[in-house]
């Protein structure tokens, strides 16, 4: 059986897990999952991801504001995030970033992202970055501040990946590499220095082939791992060992 599956980015507080969350989460260590970082998108989900991290030893939490969740932010949101990071199972600020796929005011997104970047530097916490159709502006801010960042679900080119690596960032890849039209992700997976790669699900979303459109969970990381291991000419277990070590190094676990 495979071991050392570390899921660098998931959302187990999502309503899609309401019917069987505990049964599923209790079963994952028996399927080789050694770690999960459950990401929040606002203060409400931050409480939920912390509660899950308290309940399950292998689950950790990231706290922050996602660009799609900026409507009901309290004025002292940064202070609230900073307080939550004192919890021993909170290992990062996130997820935060820019999302230009949706029609969300860009200036506000940029302001909130920039503040969370600065907070991560101030608190010396890793930062989990969401970048959807916003590479130019995301990387302008990352270049300026050089936080200790993970660009999750990386969707940029090989050239952008190389710049991210030069800046010291980590990149995580997931189910997308198994998609038929995933030429760019496959190129990135083939070229990235292995010590900078993490694996993720973004569960319940981004299920790999052959589960597209169905609910994702951390055990399904092996489908992306099989694809990437074949590209890199190493065994799936070797890839899982390397990427779990990388995740623990990035998140200081
Ligand atoms: Ni996410």
């Amino acid at each position: 059986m495979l071991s050392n599956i570390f899921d660098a980015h998931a959302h187990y507080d999502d309503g899609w897990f309401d019917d069987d969350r505990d049964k599923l989460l209790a079963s994952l260590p028996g399927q080789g999952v050694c770690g999960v970082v459950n990401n929040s998108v606002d203060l409400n989900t931050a409480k939920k991801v912390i509660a899950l991290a308290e309940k399950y030893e292998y689950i950790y939490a990231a706290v922050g504001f996602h660009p799609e969740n900026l409507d009901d932010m309290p004025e002292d949101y940064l202070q609230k995030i900073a307080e939550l990071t004192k919890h021993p199972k909170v290992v990062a600020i996130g997820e935060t970033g820019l999302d230009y796929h949706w029609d969300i005011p860009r200036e506000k997104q940029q302001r909130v992202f920039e503040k969370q970047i600065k907070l991560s530097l101030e608190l010396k916490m890793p930062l989990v970055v969401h970048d959807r159709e916003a590479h130019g502006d995301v990387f302008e801010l990352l270049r300026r501040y050089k936080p200790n960042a993970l660009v999750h679900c990386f969707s940029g080119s090989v050239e952008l990946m190389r710049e991210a690596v030069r800046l010291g960032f980590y990149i995580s890849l997931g189910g997308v590499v198994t998609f038929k039209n995933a030429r760019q992700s496959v190129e990135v997976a083939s070229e990235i220095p292995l010590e900078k790669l993490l694996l993720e699900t973004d569960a319940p979303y981004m299920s790999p082939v052959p589960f597209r459109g169905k609910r994702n969970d951390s055990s399904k990381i092996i489908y992306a791992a099989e694809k990437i291991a074949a590209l890199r000419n190493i065994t799936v277990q070797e890839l899982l060992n390397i990427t779990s070590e990388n995740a623990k190094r990035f998140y200081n676990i």
Side-chain angles (χ1 to χ4, degrees):
M1 195 194 82
L2 293 166
S3 60
N4 279 338
I5 295 170
F6 195 113
D7 187 349
H9 185 106
H11 298 274
Y12 281 110
D13 56 297
D14 191 278
W16 209 342
F17 295 109
D18 281 354
D19 285 344
D20 61 347
R21 181 175 293 105
D22 280 312
K23 194 172 162 231
L24 173 69
L25 293 179
S27 78
L28 289 178
Q31 299 179 69
V33 176
C34 67
V36 169
V37 177
N38 211 19
N39 277 245
S40 60
V41 296
D42 57 18
L43 291 174
N44 185 32
T45 51
K47 285 187 196 115
K48 292 184 186 171
V49 298
I50 289 173
L52 287 173
E54 284 173 344
K55 191 163 184 187
Y56 296 95
E57 208 184 332
Y58 72 98
I59 295 183
Y60 299 84
V63 295
F65 273 88
H66 187 286
E68 283 176 60
N69 300 73
L70 308 182
D71 284 343
D72 302 312
M73 300 176 69
E75 282 204 4
D76 62 343
Y77 72 95
L78 276 183
Q79 217 176 312
K80 292 228 155 66
I81 294 171
E83 273 161 29
L84 292 172
T85 63
K86 290 180 190 151
H87 190 286
K89 295 293 292 283
V90 172
V91 294
I93 291 175
E95 64 177 296
T96 178
L98 301 176
D99 194 314
Y100 291 173
H101 180 77
W102 306 108
D103 189 19
I104 306 159
R106 293 186 178 187
E107 271 174 30
K108 185 170 188 189
Q109 290 193 47
Q110 290 159 8
R111 193 168 65 243
V112 173
F113 180 34
E114 186 171 7
K115 288 206 166 132
Q116 290 178 88
I117 295 174
K118 286 176 160 173
L119 184 67
S120 83
L121 291 171
E122 219 174 277
L123 301 177
K124 298 188 170 59
M125 298 276 297
L127 183 77
V128 182
V129 177
H130 171 99
D131 168 10
R132 190 172 186 196
E133 297 169 26
H135 303 319
D137 287 345
V138 164
F139 272 78
E140 194 186 299
L141 285 165
L142 293 180
R143 247 176 244 127
R144 191 184 315 160
Y145 291 105
K146 299 188 183 60
N148 179 20
L150 165 66
V151 186
H152 106 87
C153 235
F154 183 81
S155 57
S157 63
V158 169
E159 289 69 33
L160 194 65
M161 175 276 285
R162 292 207 176 101
E163 182 181 5
V165 167
R166 273 200 304 279
L167 289 165
F169 306 152
Y170 287 81
I171 274 168
S172 59
L173 297 173
V176 173
V177 295
T178 67
F179 296 177
K180 254 204 172 120
N181 57 354
R183 188 186 53 85
Q184 194 163 260
S185 286
V186 167
E187 276 174 31
V188 168
S190 309
E191 300 285 328
I192 183 166
L194 282 177
E195 70 273 15
K196 286 296 183 182
L197 175 66
L198 275 57
L199 297 177
E200 68 162 274
T201 53
D202 208 11
Y205 312 108
M206 308 300 262
S207 277
V209 173
F211 303 102
R212 275 192 87 168
K214 303 215 172 80
R215 190 180 76 174
N216 202 0
D217 71 72
S218 305
S219 69
K220 297 191 177 73
I221 260 186
I222 56 172
Y223 293 88
E226 276 169 5
K227 174 85 189 223
I228 297 171
L231 292 167
R232 304 307 293 252
N233 212 10
I234 57 176
T235 66
V236 176
Q237 188 59 62
E238 283 169 328
L239 181 70
L240 294 173
N241 295 345
I242 294 167
T243 51
S244 65
E245 282 309 309
N246 295 345
K248 289 176 193 165
R249 189 184 329 114
F250 172 69
Y251 285 120
N252 297 310
I253 288 171

